[in-house]
């Protein structure tokens, strides 16, 4: 499986402003700006961006489950649900 080559570290929404939200990506000093047509849309875009790395890892984890092992499947599903919750919270 290919390894993620993007910025390591936690990706989080750090500031919400008028019409735009900022996403801190790992240790990068500059933040990514997420915009939308309104504040609600900007915030939803920022949350999805912040969850992107977790969503990728969760999908890779689901594909990694090559045996019918209840514990592995449960862990992969749990990771996927946490990533989805982060994107939609």
């Amino acid at each position: 499986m290919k390894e993620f080559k993007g910025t390591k570290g936690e990706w989080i929404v750090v500031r919400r402003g008028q019409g735009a939200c900022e996403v801190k990506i790992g240790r990068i000093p500059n933040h990514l700006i997420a915009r939308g047509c309104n504040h609600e849309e900007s915030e939803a875009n920022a949350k999805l961006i912040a969850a992107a790395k977790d969503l990728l890892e969760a999908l890779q984890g689901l594909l990694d489950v090559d045996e019918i092992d209840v514990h592995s499947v449960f862990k992969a599903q749990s990771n996927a649900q946490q990533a989805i919750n982060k994107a939609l919270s």
Side-chain angles (χ1 to χ4, degrees), residues 31-70:
H31 299 167
L32 179 78
I33 304 296
R35 297 193 185 277
C37 292
N38 55 48
H39 178 70
E40 183 178 19
E41 193 174 275
S42 296
E43 188 166 352
N45 292 342
K47 288 177 180 179
L48 181 60
I49 292 165
K53 190 175 79 141
D54 298 321
L55 291 164
L56 175 63
E57 289 173 1
L59 286 171
Q60 287 175 322
L62 286 170
L63 293 176
D64 258 354
V65 178
D66 55 348
E67 295 180 17
I68 303 301
D69 171 15
V70 174

Side-chain angles (χ1 to χ4, degrees), residues 18 21-22 25-27 33 36 49 51 58 63 74 82 86 89:
Q18 191 104 357
C21 296
E22 291 185 25
I25 298 179
R27 296 182 189 154
I33 304 296
I49 292 165
L63 293 176
F74 177 75
Q82 288 174 13
K86 182 176 180 178
S89 67

